[in-house]
Amino acid sequence: MNTNLFQLRHIGPRDNEKDIMLKTIGVDSIDQLIYETIPDDIRLQNELDLPEALSEYEYLQHINELGAKNKIFKSYIGLGYHEAITPSVIQRNILENPGWYTAYTPYQAEIAQGRLEALLNYQTMVCDLTGMELANASLLDEGTAAAEAMALLFDVRERAKKKAGANKFFVSEEILPQTLSVLKTRAIPIGIELVIGNHEKFDFADDYFGAILQYPGKNGNVIDYSEFVSKANDNNIKVAVAADILSLAVLKAPGEFGVDVVVGTTQRFGIPLGYGGPHAGYFATKEAYKRSIPGRIIGVTKDKDGGPALRMALQTREQHIKRERATSNICTAQVLLAVMAGMYAVYHGKEGIQFIANRVHSASQTLAVALNRLGFKQKNTAYFDTILVEVEAEKLRSTAEANQINFNYVDKNHVAISLNETVGLKEINAIVDCFEQAFNIQDITITEFVSEDIIPENIKRNTSFLDHEVFNTYHSETDMMRYIKKLERKDLALNHSMISLGSCTMKLNAASEMLPLSNPQWGNIHPFVPLNQAEGYQTVLKNLEQQLNVVTGFAGTSLQPNSGAQGEFAGLMVIRAYHEANGDTHRNICLIPSSAHGTNPASAVMAGMKVVVTKTDEKGNIDVEDLRAKAELHKDNLAALMVTYPSTHGVFEKAIKEITSIIHDNGGQVYMDGANMNAQVGLTNPATIGADVCHLNLHKTFAIPHGGGGPGVGPICVAPQLVPFLPTNPVVTTGGENPITAISAAPWGSALACLISYGYITMLGADGLTNSTKIAILNANYMKERLQEHFQTLYTGEMGRAAHEMILDCREFKQNGIEVVDIAKRLMDYGFHAPTVSFPVAGTIMVEPTESESLSELDRFCDALISIRKEIDTVTKEDQNNVLKNAPHTLAMLTNDSWDFPYSRQEAAYPLEYIMDNKFWPSVRRVDDAYGDRNLICSCNPIEDYMEAEA
């Protein structure tokens, strides 16, 4: 056994177990199974052209050597990114803890109460600081949150505005440059006209529907927007504000101005810079817009016993249900980062946050006074943490960089300096020394902080925040550690058992892939530093792009999209730009099979395309003749086909090359959704099947952990003709020769998370990647065979094989009164998270075991499903008091003196023997979703609110 091979650790089944599995399936070898699963005409003929795999030890040496090439300067660039201190108790117990980072999106609330509470804390923090009524559980970054705000305000225009065709959106010239670029990307395809200017000169005309302001401005000036907002309200123009979250401990909450939406980033609440991400963007608005707010909202409800419980509220807003009627395609939040930011507020509390904010503000004043003594003029009339200094910028730059300091060089005569919570007198004196050295002037030393009253009374904060008990309890490390652990114990994650979610690929997130994320050589770099300060990052990102090119067979990659949904949008926008460059601006029809992911039609509409749905046949495959007919009907205007491969039904469709040829013959480009790439890597690829662009879910196939619903990374890989249009960034140039504007705020999106996928590919190498795919297919087909006598597999390939996932039909159980949700809840009693429920077919479960699960774990899961199947046979539609309808069963139920159920406690909690060894207890009984939506409470409200809701 070669213990240096990482694939030995990543892949679950041992060699002797593979033989057992192949025998169960009825094939002689894995190669025979692959032949019977994947059409021969799309199989790769050569091994992936990748360097030899590194061992875990070799990789960690390699990544540390690359990290040492990054130059860790003190960066005072600002522009929405600031060095922050991650409390060690949060780093060790959340960021580095698989109990938090390997959890899935909390769709199954009964086994996710811990992270749901952490997210409720986050929402409360955002509402308190912004002064708004409702916040979601995070978005991707500040730029995309601002774009979502614009889209929401466009969607909720009053009838008169819609009728008049009001489509202008005012953008203050104070907006962050990367935010403006993302706004441009999102505005163009849906017909919004951006007007950029000075808010003091805005004319409030009728053809405007909304406006966005920056608070404080991009170079630090703090502006009183109350008069602007008042006039906007009088003219039915809705206003969004992008606000620095820490400044709101000192400045008046935007909600007090009467604005409609407040957005921003919570990065400076304890999240590493990470060369741009991942960071949790925040989004807060009025309750009146609760049906239009993008992303996920955590709400309070009650469980079957009437006790308090948490769950994701208002889920019918999600794009999986609304599809092409959705105003957003957001399905990935930044949950892990939102949890950390919320815990930062819990740990520091109101007084701690005020202390940090006041210290940052005082440090900025101290620096301003010192520079004034040296003869440099500070231009901002009021500021929080950023001063704008009149100075010969290039002369200062060379000295500052020689002293390992970065500033924001606004123009040749102005430099902005943004301070943060790491700054003390030592750092202030180092900045002052740069000015002294650069201009050969007197030497002064700052010995104490200055704190003057420079913020006007009318924009000072005078309202309370973070008054809830949770923010005033856990301020010692002991208490904080125990609180985090208490929440962790309520959540089922991959560190407990297999999570067999179809389409979501919950595989091993190896420790060696994760370790570099805690290294400050990777965590502490601002995304806008000069490239020569990020040599290690640039090497990793370029190597990862090349690795993904090899895996997909394509010519170019952009790592900028920071979620799978953003990748979809980016891919379609690149196709749009390609058609426009060819003079085909009329091409706007996007064909989408009826079986497609819910984000596909939402993304197409966001990209300005018209969705035409094509049929599937009785076997669940794309109806080729219907597709051909619609492609030919729309050939003059055909822009793209969005296709998932293997299909969402878990099948390698044999006609895929014919399908892609039909699209090309009629002038369109083929977008392949990469959600199921785990069944392709090393065996086939998007280029071979005839696609032109695909996005890849690095949080699925390439091992970035789901983190409870984010971070995700969704890079796009493209054919040669699309390379020129890959997205850029306005501060650090990226992308092609004729790029589209930014998809997300940072040049390389969530660069820190990309280290994980780089490690995954580098340690597996060509052989390990290919074997991982083969074993994913082996595991799925083994489970299919074990379950076939008990559950019907809805769709299979021509030789009866599944790809890496399968759909199990549960609709026949309705005759017993059992719905698919009952099976999902009963699985919790067996210690498992449910597979994907009722997607893509209602009344089914979609199972994907991944390659990381061993035979023993696969068998445990199969045993659980078979046992549940037998339980279903014992109940009737008239008998609602049964073990499935009452699931899940909590410890409180089992230890209660009364037991009013027609089955035993053992049958409820320990239906199979293996459970005795490692019982996971759901912390609440089945939650009442409808009650939570009728009585929407989405923050840590006073107990009186709950009493009123109950009444």
Side-chain angles (χ1 to χ4, degrees), residues 640-674:
L641 165 73
M642 298 186 80
V643 62
T644 301
Y645 199 74
S647 72
T648 311
H649 293 152
V651 175
F652 281 96
E653 298 184 42
K654 194 171 181 62
I656 187 62
K657 293 185 81 169
E658 181 183 1
I659 288 167
T660 57
S661 293
I662 290 169
I663 301 304
H664 292 145
D665 290 346
N666 288 282
Q669 295 280 286
V670 176
Y671 165 90
M672 193 204 84
D673 186 308

Side-chain angles (χ1 to χ4, degrees), residues 566-626:
Q566 291 291 90
E568 289 181 17
F569 177 61
L572 292 175
M573 289 299 289
V574 165
I575 288 174
R576 175 190 171 96
Y578 166 78
H579 286 312
E580 288 181 346
N582 291 334
D584 292 334
T585 54
H586 55 282
R587 290 194 174 274
N588 69 341
I589 299 293
C590 185
L591 301 183
I592 301 180
S594 59
S595 60
H597 284 104
T599 47
N600 287 178
S603 296
V605 170
M606 280 172 51
M609 296 181 184
K610 180 181 177 183
V611 173
V612 173
V613 177
T614 69
K615 297 176 183 177
T616 53
D617 63 23
E618 68 281 358
K619 293 182 179 179
N621 298 325
I622 293 172
D623 184 327
V624 177
E625 293 313 311
D626 182 64

Side-chain angles (χ1 to χ4, degrees), residues 530-602:
L531 292 181
N532 63 8
Q533 293 177 26
E535 185 180 340
Y537 257 118
Q538 287 300 309
T539 299
V540 166
L541 297 173
K542 285 186 174 67
N543 285 351
L544 179 58
E545 289 174 359
Q546 179 57 28
Q547 289 169 337
L548 297 180
N549 288 344
V550 170
V551 166
T552 59
F554 281 139
T557 292
S558 170
L559 297 169
Q560 191 176 118
N562 49 7
S563 81
Q566 291 291 90
E568 289 181 17
F569 177 61
L572 292 175
M573 289 299 289
V574 165
I575 288 174
R576 175 190 171 96
Y578 166 78
H579 286 312
E580 288 181 346
N582 291 334
D584 292 334
T585 54
H586 55 282
R587 290 194 174 274
N588 69 341
I589 299 293
C590 185
L591 301 183
I592 301 180
S594 59
S595 60
H597 284 104
T599 47
N600 287 178

